[in-house]
Each structure stands twice: as C-alpha cells, then as structure tokens.
Amino acid sequence: MTATRNPTDWRSDAMRRRIARRYAAERRFKLAGLLAVLLSAAFLAFLLVTMMGNGLRGFTRTEIAVKVDFPASPLLLDPNAITDQALANANLPMVTGEVVKKALGADAEEWVSPTAWTALRDAIKADPKILSRTETVRLPASTAIDLAAKGKGSSEAEAAVDRLNKAGVLSTGFNMGFLTASDGTDPTQVGIWGAFKGSLLTMLVTLALSFPVGVATAVYLEEYARKNWMTDIIEVSINNLAAVPSIIFGLLGLSIFLNVLHLPRSASLVGGMTLALMTMPVIVIAGRNAIKSVPPSIRDAALGIGASPVQVVFHHVLPLALPGILTGTIIGMARALGETAPLLMIGMRAFIATPPGGIVDPATVLPVQIFLWSDEVSKGFVEKTSAAIIVLLIFLLAMNGLAIYLRNKFERRW
Amino acid sequence: GCGQQSGGAAGGTRDQIRAVGSSTVYPFATAIAEMFVQGNAGMKSPIIESTGTGGGMKLFCAGVGAQHPDIADASRRMKKKEYEDCQKNGVKDIVEIQIGVDGLAFAESNKGPGFKLTPKIVYEALAANPYGKGPNKAQTWKDVDPSLPATAISVFGPPSTSGTRDSLAELILTKGCETDPAMEALKKKSEDEFKATCTRIREDGKYVDSGENDNLIVQKLAANPNALGVFGFSYLEENKDTLKDVPINGVEASYETVSTGTYPGARPLYIYVKKAHMQAIPGLQAYLNTFAANWDPNGALTKRGMVAAPEAVRKASAEAVKSLPVLDGSQLK
Amino acid sequence: MTGPAILLLLAGLGAIAWVSARARAMRLQTAARASGRRDAVHSLPGYHGWYVALWTLVPAGIFLAVWANVAPGLVMQDVLSSPAAQSLPADDFSRSAVLGEARAIATGNQAGAFNPLSQGLVEPYKDAIGKYGIAGAALALVLAFAGGAYAFTRVRPDFRARTRVERLVMATLLIASLLAIITTLGIVASLLWESFRFFSMVSPVDFLFGVKWSPQSAALGYGNDDAFGAVPLFWGTIFIGAIIAMVVAIPLGLMSAIYLTQYASPTVRKWMKPTLEMLAGVPTVVYGYFAALTIAPALRDFAVKIGIHGASSESALAAGLVMGVMIIPFVSSMADDSIAAVPQSMRDGSLAMGATTSETIRRVLIPAALPGVVGGVLLAVSRAIGETMIVVMAAGLAANLTLNPFASVTTVTTQIVQLLTGDQEFDSAKTLAAFALGLVLFIVTLLLNIVALRVVKKYREAYE
Amino acid sequence: MTPAVETKMTARDVKVFYGEKQAIKGVSIDVDMDNVTAFIGPSGCGKSTFLRTLNRMNDTVASARVEGTITLDGEDIYAPSMDVVQLRARVGMVFQKPNPFPKSIYENIAYGPRIHGLAHGKADLDVIVEKSLRRAGLWDEVKDRLHDSGTALSGGQQQRLCIGRAIAVEPEVILMDEPCSALDPIATAKIEELIHELRGRYAIVIVTHNMQQAARVSQRTAFFHLGELVEYGVTSDIFTNPKAERTKDYITGRYG
Amino acid sequence: MTPAVETKMTARDVKVFYGEKQAIKGVSIDVDMDNVTAFIGPSGCGKSTFLRTLNRMNDTVASARVEGTITLDGEDIYAPSMDVVQLRARVGMVFQKPNPFPKSIYENIAYGPRIHGLAHGKADLDVIVEKSLRRAGLWDEVKDRLHDSGTALSGGQQQRLCIGRAIAVEPEVILMDEPCSALDPIATAKIEELIHELRGRYAIVIVTHNMQQAARVSQRTAFFHLGELVEYGVTSDIFTNPKAERTKDYITGRYG
Ligand SMILES: Nc1ncnc2c1ncn2[C@@H]1O[C@H](COP(=O)(O)OP(=O)(O)OP(=O)(O)O)[C@@H](O)[C@H]1O
Ligand SMILES: Nc1ncnc2c1ncn2[C@@H]1O[C@H](COP(=O)(O)OP(=O)(O)OP(=O)(O)O)[C@@H](O)[C@H]1O
Ligand SMILES: [Mg+2]
Ligand SMILES: [Mg+2]
Ligand SMILES: O=P([O-])([O-])[O-]
C-alpha cells in the first residue's frame, strides 16, 4: 500500500470544471435522445400529412350538372318496361355523349367521365317517369376536369373548368362511390368496396384458422408441455416462423396450396390460409406471454382446492390471459391486414371489378389494391391510391389503438 | 373440400371470365370488362391479370378447363412455339382476334434533351454484342452517335415476358442490326446466331428491365430527365404532360403515324380465345362482342389510347368474333 | 341426404346425448352421495354429458371426413360402369373433363352442358351420389348411436369421465401445437424441392458466387450459363437492409428507447411510445408508395444538386432510408426490453457512486444490455432483409454491385416477386430461381433469428 | 412423540428430489387431528417442500420426485388409484401470499364446491358460502359486499378469504405455508386467533419462520434443517428444552 | 444521545412522501463519525427510505418527495447549490443484494474514480484499486483474477466488492441497506468484521432486520416503526433497557 491519499477536494477548480463538463455531456446526451424521438415522430407525421394532402381529394369528385331533355334525346325506352337488359341495350354511352354535347357544346363530351352514362342509367332506374320530361342530371366529370377542378390539371382542362364554372354547372362533393364501388379503369369511378370486402373475407379465414390454433398451442406449450425434444422443436419452429419473411409464406402458399392442393387461385381462402400461417406464431407468442403473466399463485390456489389442470386453465388462466391474447391477436391481424407481398404470389393481384361473393371467389385486398393503383397509368389514380391508403391506415391505426387500449386497460400488476 | 370441386377433373365451375397477358392490352381489356358488366345485367366482372404477353401465353396454353384462363391478351402475334405448346396441352381450337394497333413508343421526360433516334442507334446502344463484335462498350449516347448528347445511356424497358420487349427486338433492334450487310450473311448461316446477335440486349445496367408495370417506367422517366423509356403508345398519350415523344427515323409516334403504319414501331394487338370455353364460361361471347363494339376509331378504346386497326382488319376481326374461326398454326412464326 | 343436413342431425344427437347422460349421472350420483363416501362420486355430471356426446360425435365425424374423401371415387366407379359411360373418350384429359362437367351439373353447380356426352352421365351421377350419400349418412348415424350407447352404459357415479374428457382436450391442444412444425416442414419442403430442381439446372456454385444476374435473358433462351449469379442480389439486400436501414434505425431506435425509458416524463412516454409503435403498424405497401413517390425523387434531386449525376430515381438510399424508419420501433422496443431487463440495482449502484444519468446509461446500462440490444438488432436485420414491398416499389431491378447509395440495386425479395408474378411456368429455371432465392432468404433469416434468440436468452438468464 | 390422539396423516422416510438435488432427506412424521403442527427451520431447509408433498402439490413441479410413503387415513396418497383432485379437496392449502382469485368474494368461496359438485342449487351454495366465511371469521366484514372483488380486500382479509375458500370444500387437513409472513401484526393476530378456533375440527399444519408464532399457535413443532427433520415434539418442550444442538442454536438466533 | 463525538450528518424533522403516502413522519437524528449507527424496525417501517434520503437516492424515485433538513458537515444536502453527483461520491451506498456491475473486478472498482477523475493515469488507478480492495478485505482473494467478471464471485465476495467500490471514491459516509441479508452466515461474519475495521475511518449507517447483527456491529441503534423514529440511543441500552414499549415488544419478537 502506498501512502494514504488525501481526501478528495471536491471544491477545487479542476473538479468544478470537470463536473461542469460532465453535466454538459449529460445535456447533450439527453438532447440526442429527444432528437431521436422527435425525428422518428416527425417522419410519421410527414408520411401521414403527405398521404392526407394527396388523399383527401380522392374522397371527393367533380360533377357536371347537365340538363337532359329526355323526350328529345335519341333514347328509345319504354318508361313502363325498364329492365336492366333494356337499359343495357339502349346504347346509353352514345346517348350520354349526345346529351352532353347538346347541353354544353361540341367539345364537352371529353369533359364527362367515359362511364358517365351510368349516372344517367341510375337516374332512369330510380324514376322511369323522368323519361317524359326535362331533368338536370349530375354526371361525373372526366379525370382531367376532376383534377383541374381540384387545382391540379392541364391548361386546357383548366380553361374548360373556367367555362363550366361560369355556366355554374360544376360542383364538387363527397364521393360516396369511393366507398361503395370496386376496382375500375376510370379513376373517377373506382372504389374500395371490392378490395375491402376481399380483405374482410381474407381476415375472416385468417382469424378462424389462426386464433384457435394459436391459443391452443400457447396453452399447451405454456401450461402442459413437459420439457422434451418435441416441445423444443415446437418452440423453435414457432419462434422461427414468427421471423420468417412474409414473402416466404407466399412461396409456400404458391407451391403447396395452389400447385399441390389445387385450391383456387386469387381466392380469399388461400390468402387467408397463407396469412394464417403467418399470424399464428404471433398469436402463440402473445398468448404465451399473456399466460405467463398470470401469476402462479392463481394456479396454486385452484390446484390447492382440487381443480384439475384443465379446469385451472379454462376457469382461471385463460380468462385472465384473454386481454393479452386478444391484444396479440389484434396486432397479428393488423399485420395480416396490411400484408401485400405473399398475396401477390398467389395471384390476388388481378383486376376484379365486382366484389367477391365468398371465400373461394377471386378477390383482392386493400393493400394489394393500393399496390395495383399505384401502378395505374391515369394520373387520377394518385389521389385514389392515397385515399385508399388513408382508409387502410384508419383501420390499422384503429386496430393498433384498440390493442394499445386493451393492453393499458388490462395491464395488471399482480 | 374445395380442391375436389374445382380441381381434379377439368369440369368444375367458373362463372367469371378469366384473362391474362399483355400489360399493353391490360387497360383495354379492363375497360371492356367494365363495359361488359355494365352492359350485361347480372354478369360477374371478368378477372384480368397483367402478366406480360409471354407469361400470359404460358398460362393460357397450360390446358382447357376451369383453372385455366379463357383469354390471352397479346401485344404481338402468338409464336409458333407457343402454339405448339397449346396443342400439346390439349388447347386445340384457338381463335385469334386483332383488336387494334399500338405503337412501341420511345419517350423521355419533358425536361429531357430531345433525343432523335434511328433503329441503328438504338441497336448500337442496347445490343449486348453489336454486330457480333464483342460486348457493347458504349457508355454515353455520344459514343454511339456524335450528334447525341454525352449523357449516360439509360433506357427503362419491359422484361422478357413482355410482348413489348419482343416488339422492340423485332421492330427496332433487328432493323437496326440489319443495316450491317454482314448480318444478312449471318442470317443465312445461322438463324439462331443471327437472332442472338440482333436481339439480345445488354445486361450491364444500361438497359433497366422495369417489370410488367409500364406505369412505373413512366414515373421513373418523369423523375429522370436523361433516361429513355420504351412502352406502349397509350401510356405516352396518357402522360403527355410529363413525357414527350422521341421520334424514330424522324417520325413521331402519333395516332396517325401509328394507324397508318408510317411509324416504325407500330404493331398489332390481339386477344386469343379458347373455343372450348365458349359455352362453358357464361358471358364469354358477350365479352367479345363488347370488344367488337368499341374498337372503332371513335370507340371507347381509342379514348383510352388505343389506335384503331385499319378498316379491313376491323371487318375481319368482327367476322372472327361472330364465326370464331380456328387459328391455323402454320401461319405463325 | 345432404351434407349440412347430416351434420345438423349429428349435432342434434350430440345434444341429446349430452343432456341425457348428464341427467343420468346426476340421478346416480345423488344416490351414491347418500352413501357418504367421498370417493363414491368422481366427476361432475356435465363431464359425463361431454363424455357421451363426444363418443357420439367424434367417431361419426371422423367417419364422415373419411367418407367425403372415399365417396367420390366410389361414385366415379359406379358412373363409369353405367352404360352411358361406355362412349366416353379414351384420352384421360377429355374424359375427366366430361366427368367433371357431368358431376357439376348433377350437383347443381352448373346449369347446362357444353359437351353433349356429359348430359348422358348426369343421371348416373345423380343416382350414384344419392346412393352413396344415403349409405354414408346411415353409417354415420349407426356409428353415432353405437358410440353414444357404449359411452352411456359407462355412466356410473364413480366413473372418471372428467379424466377422459380432459385427455381429449389435451390431445387437441397437442395437435394444434404440432401445426407449427408442419408449417415449418411445409416451408422447408416446398423450398427445398423447387430449389433442388433449380440446382439441377444451375450449379449452386454459380448461383451463390456468380456476379451476373440476368434471368430474363435466360428466359429468352440464351442459356442458363452465368445468368443466375445471385451475388449482386445478396449485396443489394445487405446494402439496403443491413447497412443503410440499420444506419438509420439503430441510432434513432436506441436513442429513442433510452430517452423514453430513462428521461421522458411519464406523460411524454405514454404518448410517444404508442406513436413510435405506430411506425411499425403502417403497412409496408404504404412505405413503398411513400418511398417511391416522395422520398426517391427528392433524394434524386438532392443528389443531382450536389453533383452526383448517375443518381437513380430508385436509389438504394431511398428504399433503405424508409426501411430504416420502419425498423425503428423494432430496435427501440428490443432496446427498451433489454435495458429494462438490466436490474434496477445496477442503475442504483452506479447512481449511488455519483455517476450522472448519461454516464450510468453509457457505461453501465448499455454494456450490460448489449447482448440484448445486439440480439434485437439481428432480429431487425432479419426483418429488414425479408421486407418486400418497400424494395419492390422503391428499389430498382438492376442487379448492380455498387457502393454508391444513390445508384440502383436490387434485392432478393424484389427478384422473387419479379420472377413469380405473372409468369408461372413451373419448370423454367427462371421461375425456380425464385424458390432458390427464397431458400437462401429463409436460411439466412433463420440463422439470424436463432443466433439472436440465443443471445437474448443467454442475456436474460444472466439476470435471472 | 406418541400422543394418544387420532393420527390423520403419516409420512414415512419421505425423500424429495428436484432433479438431481435432494431437498428432503428421509423425513418421517405423524400429523394428528387435534393438534396444530408447526414446521420451523431456516430458509431453504425444505419446510415448504415437505408441506407440499402432503397434498401432492409437488406434482406440479416438473422436476420434483417424491419417494417414501405418505398416508391419509391409512390410504397411500401416492398410490395410482388415488385421485389427486379429490386428495387436494381433502387436504386443503393456504399459501404464503394471499392468493384470492380475481373474482368476487362469493365466487372465490363458491368455486371449490362448484367444481366438486358439493352444492345442489343456488340456495345450497349460499349456505356453504356463508358457513365458510363465518368459520373463516370474515362473514361480518364482507357480508354486505359479497360481490366485490376478492382482490379488493386487505391482505389479512384476503388471507382469511383463502382459508374460507379452503374450508368450503370440507377438507380434513389444512396446510398453511407461512400464512402470515405477508401480513401486518394485527392481521397476523387475527389469523392466529382463527387457527385457534379451527383447531380440532381440522388437522392443521403450519409452516412459519417466526418462532414466536410457532410457540403461540402450535402444540407440536417440527424443526427442519438442511432437508432433515432434526427434532419433532411438543412445542413447549422444543422451545424451552431442545434436545438437539442444532435446534438450540436456531432457537437462540445463532443462524437463520 | 449527545455524545462528545464529531457529528457527520444531521437530519431534522425529515418527512418523506411517496405520492400521497407518507413513509417517514418527521425523523430527526445525528450520525456521527466514530460510531456505526444501526437502523432497525419491522419490514416497511421506512428504514430504507430514510437511509436513501441521506444520499438523495430518493431523487431517482419519481414519486418521492422529501421535506425537512439534512446536512453533511453542516451543509444542507437538499440545497439547490448542492451537487448530487458530488454528494453521492461523498456519501457512498451499499445495497441489500450485492450488485457488482457486469464488468471485471478491476473495472468495478475503477468505475468511480474514473467518472470522478480521481486517478491520473493507469498506475494511479492501479494503486486506487489495490488499496480499495485491501480495505474491503478482498485483495488476497482476487488479486490474481482482477480481470475476471465481478459477477463470477460468491455472494459475500460480491458484497465486499461493492463495499470496495464505494470506498474507491473516498467517501466520508457509507450507507448500507441490509448488506448481509442475502448472504450465508460465514459471509455475514466476514462483512461484520469488515465493518468493524472500517469503523472510525468513515461514518457508517447500517440497516438490518437481524437484531443480533445490530447488537454485534453497531454502537448506536435507531428503532423505526411505521415511519417514526421510536427510539435512538446507545445500542446496548436499546437492547437491554428499551425505553419505549414498542421497542421492547419488537425486540422480544412480539411482531415483525
Ligand atoms: N422448484 C424447485 N426446483 C428446484 N429446487 C427447489 C424448488 N423449490 C425449492 N427448491 C429447493 O429445495 C430446497 C428447499 O426449499 P423450500 O422452499 O422447501 O424451503 P423452505 O424451508 O420452505 O424455505 P423458505 O423458508 O425460504 O420458504 C431449497 O434448497 C430450494 O432451493
Ligand atoms: N417507490 C416506492 N413507492 C411507493 N411506496 C414506497 C416505495 N418504496 C417504499 N414504499 C413504501 O414506503 C414504506 C417504507 O418502505 P421502506 O422500503 O423504506 O421500508 P423498510 O423499513 O426498508 O422495509 P424492509 O425491511 O422490508 O426493507 C413502505 O410502506 C413501502 O411500501
Ligand atoms: Mg417456504
Ligand atoms: Mg428496506
Ligand atoms: O405486357 P406486354 O404488352 O409488353 O406483353
């Protein structure tokens, strides 16, 4: 041992400077942390704002009010025999063109959407008596006019919009069709209902398969499995499945469900099965954690008065773990709802203009619809893509929000 | 459960039309699908997948039955090899219908330098092995032709499964290649070698294979003023505000030049239908009729950027829709 | 008898079995209890009910499942032996087409025949289907009755019905958990099988070490030689997922976790944590769209402005940057967990020595949590390299071996999508290459995952 | 050591292993009906382990293995014919930390009778619940809030609830593992009082680390050390006149 | 209660709140240099809480709030001018469970001097490490494996390492919160011996739940109950002749 050291002089200048330096470092470090948080949040905000900026316009559409003198139009329809087929045979697209030209001028045909005649059809269907009088019908504007009316159009279209505005026939309103229609070729006419229903059916299949299996597995592994090689393999499999890239599940779906089992291509059934394989491990892991967090003292209590192991689990452990399991399930389902890549592999990327009727019908899902629209030629699709993204995000955020709420609400400190 | 119903025997059921193939035809096929649904009350919407002409042909020729598509969309004619493939798999009676014409358009961003190209330039810029003289060394357009700017060669184009790519090879590259007389000799010597020399595209990143989505190419071009893009004429039409045409041999791609065939990149568009499916799949005939009703010069398809076929061709096609003549494989190349 | 009807009938039988067995057990037990012996009664009456109901339903159900697979064959045989079947075409393909159509008409799935031959087979089909339908239903009912009766005779006060029922519950649970293994095996088998076919066309050495990737030219018939060198793909994947994305995600994720756990007030934490978690909830297709439409062009403009002319509008940087943002919550939640797992006593120990918070974090907490953090980063890397939509939409298809972040590179997942969408020919090297790539991806993520979990587990154990 | 009372449970040469490790090294003991038996000993000596062999709660620990014979009313409780579920109903258990189910007070008590089918109808069950709560000395405190959550009670009340829960299935033996160690002195006193009242009706075994408590509530005391039963006898003898050296050292606070 | 020794720390009417709940209810006490002061009392009475006010470790608990005055050498340690970092270096702390950093033995000791800049160069640091380990009575046991992990030591060694770690920054006061409760009797004896040796060089405060230990190591004992300081005085007095009734009850094992 060397000579005893002098007690530290905490008041010396050197020590004071040192401490000041240490506090400065402390502040810098804290600031770096704050910046990291803010930067991450800013990115999220930027993303959301961009999507909103582009997408909100997608929920509206421009309409042109056209006065239609039905008796004078080249329409050959008997007001007393309006059937779908009669309407289909009436060559409405041509009639619509004529009507528009008559009302707004020779070049006006370009201004309404190519599918504007459906508005005419719907008006006649709603009230066949219309055929005997003059009536104002609101026809959806073409993409060019629509964009120009929203301030993003070409110069010609803007000139046309000016003219229409002067005539007072242009109006912009909420686009109900966007929520009720399906995929289409004309951006003013497309909607998300088909894809949304496809998503719904797919999620239904996913949930029906992954939830029972996932919970059963979690219960077995956490409560009953003895530690042996088989449990080890199951555990390793599940942990690994949870980390397998989603596209690999797509490959599995393609080569097994489609090519070996010959299940129908593009169907929600196969999509749901593929996503179920992906979601199951998430539920298992969440379920195990939830079960694990039920304190052993509850099990002891039940066992101690003579409950069987199965009763212990079904009477006590599962009800207590349920919020945790549900949280995990919602998170897993949210992930599945946003998943795109594996579904591309099994052909859920086709153009399908009618909503699927069941789980074996060809369908697409919201994220894939977004992907498809993002590749569309017409510029009108940009805002529709963003609008669809907004819808998807609302759902996902709601699901995640629900999960967070559940987690906070039922978070127990035993 | 479902496997037994739809798989197994070829019967099964499908009440929706299924079409696959060309991304060039895709917008027209979907537009027709939409009109078909609106014009035929109670019909389900056809399912249309854009796989590229080649990919579509493979699916189409895989067999007859519910799990195989009814229609193949094509931006070039069916190849002999594909026809034989079809025959081998029991797809015997095929009906060929030309629906219109398209131009193989070259485009650049509005901010681009204003290229002027010839097939020869394109060939020398893009060939893997120009005139069989070893790997392509051209880095900038100027290396190919002194009149062009010294910007790096960068062409976005469709992949090998696409009919557009085949058209590029046939209509432009081969023409450019044939400007060298030595190639004539080569063609006589070995067809295969000639094909490889004249159509194989370089793979060193100068030609960027951009997938089936022509729209992606459009977006990338808009963002990249020094690049060129190759795609269907309709895409150019739709994006006139961001892109401009690059003339070939001094001819601009326009409705007139394409329809009259003066534009070197003009090519026919087809759909192929399985005759065996005509009665099995509800609405198939009506779908074809809808096509026929809309391919006139002032029809709905031209509004979407398709170029109408010459009058005579349209007449023949309309006749084909009615009588459904079986394609004779011996005419194919 | 139709499927739903028989199922409904069985369900009814099950319910009856449950109710009657339960009632009987209750009666018997009341009598037995009077004897006073505690073990005279074993299970609650409800368990007897379940026991008998299960014996009624399970054997019959299993039989029906088997029957549903056997019956079509029997029906087919019957139909083939009918006189109308003698005129069927010889070749299998058209023959099964006709049979399939006839069956579809017979079961009401199709309205009319387009092959005249099949119309004649509709009646034989209807007959056969009806015959075997009734046979199957009858057998199922017999089984249900037999099972139920057997079980019913066993209802006695001290019969251990609960044990039996619980055994079945356990078996069900076990079977469910085996599904994970089956899925894993399915993945491995399908990947291995297709990859094996691929490697019989292309040498694995060329695939793993080749530097030229041009499957399109292979598909055009220029030969498979040196068209499938996957090194540029591997590089692109690593460049985007393991380098650029991590450069973004690690500092931001780690520092966010530190700030939120160690500095932020409870209110800030309560709001910011879910906000950051939202980044993980945004679907990748949205990130892809955002990267392709907003970030990539901006980056390209920026690059051109600072004088990088070769900048591509599909730069590795755009995809990597956005992917990094997506990964932030993974890193931060793993870091959060690891830091939280460091015992409070470590923190106290350091603070009690007079260390500042940041000194404690940097010199005690992070070193102590390092294995956990590293494990988390490995998991994040495995997540990033498997990510598909962002790169499909924002990264390029050009297989470049480059270090320039503004250049375009392609990744394994992009190529898988590219190779498999549309063209589905299952024996070309081009299609199979997708599976070989999938196999590599699977193995790599698996290894990363195993290593990461090991590391994390070891680390957890250290503080238990 | 051989009192003239009814012997309820006997253990003969019981050994317990956790994997390789032996936690109980051949313990023989008789538990009788009219006395409260206390197990004392330093931490880790195996008191809890041994207690849990008496109602086979050790079955739930995968690594645990029990050798030797334990009988209840002369019947081997480890015999294959013994139904564990019934055994545990007959040999009730109260744990160190009060562990009521997160259900209502009523449901806590009613759970056992329900799964064992002891009640016929709601009225019957009500009677059982009231009786059990009365015996557990909790009735007056909770009779107006039977449908409040059991976890909302104070620690001492919770522990009495747990005792009531055990009583509700009419056990013959009650095992208590340090039932007061998580409680404050007042609650402790209440539980001790309750044990006094329950004595005679049930055979009671209590593990405690508090020697004063053992002295207060028990008539027989067993001293464990390192998995062995060092000394077993009348409580007052053990505390005033321990025979073994180790017992003496422990009681005078030399270790533990 | 007023001995003629140097007073190191004083507390005057200290109150501590955890949120709404008051854990310390006005405690005044003097800690002096030459004695070991022991805090005893039943679990939850506030011993740890009060100890932690002495080096402001309670600052790290968000809900904790301290009222009253505490001085170190006459300086108010809760004054805004007081630097917590310095304070904690001057008032060291040893915890209940040994908590060496997961670093080498050397690094564990060197940590404090490093962050406070007490060593000038490697050689100087080596000297500090050796001296601290010697004082903690650990040098001979670890001198050949200074670069092994500190967590690889036995529990008793770890606790001595923690004491050495505290010593290395030259503190003036050392606070120990039940430093032996996680240790076996032999390790406990070693630590008690160490405390004897350290006495006089540092003012030492030790919390213990083991009354024998308090009797063995301390010269002054403070008895806490329900957040109050019930009695404070010379250890032998407290144990043989407690003034307060509560103290007496506690010492004779009536509760706790
Ligand atoms: N589940 C287990 N696995 C392995 N060893 C165990 C297990 N439970 C207890 N032990 C070991 O068995 C021995 C006896 O433990 P037991 O809990 O019976 O002691 P105890 O006397 O009740 O102690 P305490 O007073 O702390 O409760 C101890 O060494 C303990 O570490
Ligand atoms: N972080 C905290 N938040 C709220 N209450 C606390 C906190 N820490 C301690 N308490 C409460 O303050 C009171 C005194 O606790 P303290 O830990 O000081 O007691 P103790 O005498 O050290 O007990 P033990 O001997 O068990 O360590 C207790 O009622 C305790 O529940
Ligand atoms: Mg114990
Ligand atoms: Mg304490
Ligand atoms: O998609 P293609 O038209 O290029 O085949």
Side-chain angles (χ1 to χ4, degrees), chain A residues 148-336:
Chain A
K150 291 166 181 169
K152 289 217 156 186
S154 62
S155 50
E156 306 159 45
E158 258 157 22
V161 167
D162 281 347
R163 264 179 61 195
L164 288 169
N165 271 332
K166 282 212 186 80
V169 292
L170 212 55
S171 63
T172 299
F174 181 69
N175 182 4
M176 198 56 208
F178 185 69
L179 301 181
T180 57
S182 296
D183 198 6
T185 54
D186 180 7
T188 61
Q189 296 286 303
V190 296
I192 52 165
W193 173 240
F196 186 72
K197 194 169 173 200
S199 274
L200 229 55
L201 291 171
T202 309
M203 288 300 104
L204 222 65
V205 174
T206 304
L207 185 66
L209 294 176
S210 61
F211 184 71
V213 174
V215 175
T217 307
V219 166
Y220 178 77
L221 287 181
E222 206 51 50
E223 292 289 320
Y224 301 125
R226 301 237 152 195
K227 200 92 190 96
N228 58 23
W229 60 270
M230 199 167 77
T231 345
D232 281 352
I233 293 183
I234 297 178
E235 256 201 87
V236 169
S237 302
I238 286 174
N239 286 334
N240 290 329
L241 280 183
V244 168
S246 61
I247 191 161
I248 302 284
F249 289 98
L251 292 178
L252 171 84
L254 172 63
S255 69
I256 298 210
F257 297 151
L258 293 191
N259 291 328
V260 177
L261 300 179
H262 293 296
L263 296 179
R265 194 175 152 81
S266 311
S268 320
L269 175 70
V270 177
M273 287 166 70
T274 308
L275 294 181
L277 296 180
M278 217 181 84
T279 311
M280 189 203 44
V282 178
I283 298 183
V284 174
I285 290 173
R288 291 187 67 177
N289 287 334
I291 291 173
K292 216 181 271 168
S293 74
V294 174
S297 69
I298 301 274
R299 294 181 187 83
D300 285 347
L303 286 172
I305 47 176
S308 70
V310 171
Q311 286 173 328
V312 170
V313 167
F314 284 88
H315 294 169
H316 298 283
V317 176
L318 267 190
L320 292 175
L322 205 59
I325 297 176
L326 287 183
T327 309
T329 306
I330 295 171
I331 288 173
M333 293 301 290
R335 221 175 103 189

Side-chain angles (χ1 to χ4, degrees), chain D residues 18 21 23 42-50 61 63 178:
Chain D
Y18 290 115
K21 189 178 147 197
S43 186
C45 66
K47 305 181 295 290
S48 302
T49 300
F50 183 69
V61 179
S63 66
E178 311 204 17

Side-chain angles (χ1 to χ4, degrees), chain C residues 26-27 54 68 89 97-98 101 103 136 148 181 201 213 266 273 293 299 336 363 395 458:
Chain C
M26 232 184 285
R27 227 176 29 251
L54 286 172
V98 171
E101 199 191 11
R103 192 184 60 205
I181 302 186
M201 297 180 212
W213 177 260
K273 238 184 120 179
L293 240 71
L299 277 178
D336 191 337
R363 309 181 91 172
K458 264 243 173 78

Side-chain angles (χ1 to χ4, degrees), chain E residues 18 21 23 42-50 61 63 96 178:
Chain E
Y18 289 117
K21 189 177 148 198
S43 185
C45 66
K47 305 180 294 289
S48 303
T49 301
F50 183 69
V61 179
S63 67
Q96 179 165 12
E178 310 203 18

Side-chain angles (χ1 to χ4, degrees), chain A residues 22 26 240 255 259 308 311 396, chain C residues 166 190 354 358-359 426 449:
Chain A
R22 286 170 64 195
E26 167 81 18
N240 290 329
S255 69
N259 291 328
S308 70
Q311 286 173 328
L396 290 177
Chain C
E166 289 182 346
S190 61
S358 66
E359 284 162 352
F426 252 77
N449 191 43

Side-chain angles (χ1 to χ4, degrees), chain A residues 84-85 88 109 117-118 121 184-185 265-266 269 349-354 360-362 374-379, chain B residues 2 16 18 26 30-31 34 38-39 41 44-50 213 215-216 219 235 238-239 241 304:
Chain A
D84 285 347
Q85 205 47 53
E109 201 181 341
W117 59 272
T118 54
R121 181 192 62 189
T185 54
R265 194 175 152 81
S266 311
L269 175 70
R349 64 194 293 274
F351 172 84
I352 301 164
T354 40
V360 290
D361 286 351
S374 76
D375 276 338
E376 280 287 348
V377 192
S378 166
K379 281 212 306 296
Chain B
C2 314
Q16 281 163 299
R18 180 145 214 162
Y26 177 81
T30 51
E34 211 166 56
Q38 284 155 348
K44 279 199 178 170
S45 162
I47 297 154
I48 295 159
E49 227 177 308
S50 158
N213 288 298
N215 191 48
L216 219 57
Q219 289 173 6
Y235 288 80
E238 275 284 346
N239 292 282
D241 54 337
R304 293 185 187 260

